[in-house]
Amino acid sequence: MDTSSYKPGLEGVIAGISAVSMVDAEKNELLYRGYDIHDLVEHCTMDEVAYLLLYGELPDEATLEAFNQRIRMDREVPPALYDLFRALPNTAHPMDRLKAAVALLATFLPEDETNLRKAERLYAKLPTLVCASWRISQGQEPVVPDPNLDHSASFFHLLTGTPRTDYLAHVFNVTQILYAEHGFNASTFAARVTVSTLSDLYSGVVSAIGTLKGPLHGGANEAAMEMLQEIGSPENAQEWVRDALVQKKKIMGFGHREYKHGDERAKIVKGYAKELAERTGNALWWEISEIVEAEMLAAKKLHPNLDFPVASVYYLMELPIPVYTPIFVLSRITGWSAHIIEQLENNRIIRPGHLYNGLEKRSLAPR
Ligand code: COA
């Protein structure tokens, strides 16, 4: 068997052409529709970035106002969704509850709308679903969405009953922008594969949610926090990492298929992890993280990816660990949708070949 054309994990294979974002691993640069993520997190809200990713340009004031109106008035979900959350086991992972919810929600939404409108609907309704799912699993009532709040303030309102517009809301906004889009990552690719069959946007998003859940992808933010908890103390950190590497374990929140010299997104959030440690007076996770990071660099030349600092940042925001990956969905829905729309604008079914290593042809004896 000639395996020379086979690339495990499709590493280095060009699987499409896209104008949504540019990842330049050599320059450590990430651009959304041409804008550097550093500029976006400094000057924009997630709502503006959502518009940028979906429509290709940043909105002017009037356009943003109209977009906000559409999103904020569309946060409510059919009551059947709350019934679904009550019917599902409380112990089911929030990503599985979300996957079921988006599949059900899709059956209530008009089929004949544009994909942009469908994408807006999901961007509006996903926070309601994620937060209601979590609250119901914890024996609490869901919160009725407030159309006066922006994406970040509304998220805290839907999760806790109280909106936030303070420093924590700002940090949340930054993480949402950084989670919004990232080229041909696994979940985006899954979404593109799904719609390349001319299936619908909602089906593409359900595929993407299932793909994001894995700990090698979006699930790494939860796994990274669980790892920090298991390490428990700065004194334990170096030995813990060394032992894990001897056992050939993956250290969650480290490494990346594209970035080999560090992930700019992680560097941005790391600054907030430090500041939050100072503001909250809880430096434990910061101290452990610093040792894990130094050890990983020394032992494997691997840098943290975005999920590593996000884990401790969300923990210090007192967000429940099982909703970290669903939170990722709340902004990545814009990147997924932009890619789905782009795929369908110039579609060809995505259907790669494979090498066969099964049995030789054999005869079937009469039975
Ligand atoms: N911990 C320990 N070793 C790691 C590692 C990690 N997090 N990430 C990569 N490596 C090692 C691999 O074991 C391999 O070493 P080897 O050559 O000695 O066998 C080498 O680095 C190359 O890694 P590989 O797994 O082939 O890279 P990939 O491009 O296939 O995988 C990831 C990329 C992101 C899936 C991988 O780095 C990983 O599993 N990271 C942890 C999960 C995570 O944080 N995911 C979120 C990504 S944003």
Side-chain angles (χ1 to χ4, degrees):
M1 186 170 52
D2 177 11
T3 58
S4 58
S5 62
Y6 168 48
K7 305 283 178 211
L10 301 186
E11 183 165 8
V13 172
I14 302 302
I17 297 178
S18 178
V20 185
S21 66
M22 194 199 70
V23 181
D24 187 329
E26 281 313 307
K27 286 200 229 152
N28 279 354
E29 217 169 58
L30 174 58
L31 312 181
Y32 295 174
R33 303 282 192 193
Y35 292 110
D36 193 304
I37 50 162
H38 287 272
D39 295 331
L40 291 171
V41 297
E42 199 179 328
H43 300 295
C44 296
T45 63
M46 180 57 221
D47 292 321
E48 289 171 294
V49 172
Y51 187 93
L52 170 71
L53 287 169
L54 292 176
Y55 290 90
E57 291 295 342
L58 280 169
D60 60 23
E61 216 175 299
T63 311
L64 180 63
E65 177 60 31
F67 178 69
N68 281 342
Q69 274 299 318
R70 293 200 295 281
I71 299 302
R72 293 177 192 187
M73 299 310 289
D74 200 19
R75 288 187 174 135
E76 304 233 357
V77 297
L81 272 299
Y82 300 121
D83 296 339
L84 172 76
F85 291 138
R86 291 191 180 98
L88 291 171
N90 288 338
T91 49
H93 191 279
M95 284 295 273
D96 291 328
R97 293 166 67 87
L98 184 62
K99 196 166 49 166
V102 173
L104 176 61
L105 174 68
T107 66
F108 285 93
L109 299 177
E111 270 178 50
D112 55 353
E113 292 183 317
T114 64
N115 280 330
L116 273 171
R117 189 72 197 105
K118 289 179 183 173
E120 287 187 354
R121 286 202 188 281
L122 287 181
Y123 177 65
K125 293 182 194 300
L126 278 167
T128 313
L129 293 181
V130 166
C131 297
S133 168
W134 177 251
R135 288 180 68 90
I136 290 170
S137 76
Q138 301 303 298
Q140 295 171 314
E141 282 302 306
V143 172
V144 178
D146 180 345
N148 299 309
L149 302 174
D150 77 359
H151 180 79
S152 297
S154 174
F155 168 75
F156 285 99
H157 175 241
L158 290 167
L159 188 71
T160 67
T162 310
R164 296 197 90 114
T165 52
D166 57 1
Y167 177 73
L168 290 196
H170 167 68
V171 180
F172 183 77
N173 181 65
V174 168
T175 64
Q176 284 284 278
I177 292 175
L178 296 176
Y179 267 144
E181 160 57 15
H182 209 211
F184 267 50
N185 60 87
S187 56
T188 299
F189 190 55
R192 291 187 80 127
V193 170
T194 301
V195 302
S196 81
T197 67
L198 298 186
S199 185
D200 62 299
L201 178 138
Y202 298 121
S203 298
V205 170
V206 172
S207 295
I209 292 173
T211 309
L212 189 74
K213 180 189 170 197
L216 298 191
H217 192 12
N221 57 12
E222 294 176 24
M225 193 61 227
E226 283 156 8
M227 179 186 77
L228 292 176
Q229 285 180 317
E230 197 183 316
I231 294 172
S233 71
E235 296 71 38
N236 199 23
Q238 192 181 54
E239 203 182 319
W240 193 98
V241 175
R242 285 182 182 174
D243 278 356
L245 290 178
V246 168
Q247 294 171 51
K248 299 268 176 223
K249 282 191 190 157
K250 285 271 168 80
I251 308 299
M252 289 299 148
F254 282 82
H256 200 273
R257 173 60 63 79
E258 301 242 354
Y259 300 120
K260 301 301 176 197
H261 326 291
D263 175 343
E264 273 308 292
R265 304 168 305 166
K267 287 182 205 158
I268 294 171
V269 178
K270 188 177 169 185
Y272 289 105
K274 184 158 195 269
E275 193 171 340
L276 266 175
E278 286 159 8
R279 283 179 180 237
T280 59
N282 180 357
L284 176 64
W285 311 115
W286 169 258
E287 287 168 11
I288 297 176
S289 299
E290 283 289 272
I291 296 168
V292 173
E293 188 177 329
E295 193 54 33
M296 284 301 282
L297 196 58
K300 301 284 293 183
K301 291 199 173 57
L302 287 173
H303 298 267
N305 57 54
L306 174 59
D307 290 314
F308 188 63
V310 160
S312 55
V313 160
Y314 283 174
Y315 195 82
L316 290 178
M317 282 183 186
E318 299 183 5
L319 300 177
I321 298 172
V323 297
Y324 290 5
T325 316
I327 288 171
F328 189 155
V329 175
L330 302 186
S331 71
R332 183 58 64 91
I333 183 61
T334 58
W336 288 337
S337 301
H339 278 272
I340 287 171
I341 291 165
E342 191 177 60
Q343 175 68 32
L344 291 172
E345 277 167 358
N346 199 6
N347 188 54
R348 190 160 186 226
I349 190 168
I350 299 173
R351 203 297 184 197
H354 78 292
L355 298 170
Y356 178 66
N357 71 347
L359 297 174
E360 294 279 317
K361 183 175 179 183
R362 49 185 169 156
S363 55
L364 175 62
R367 290 144 52 89

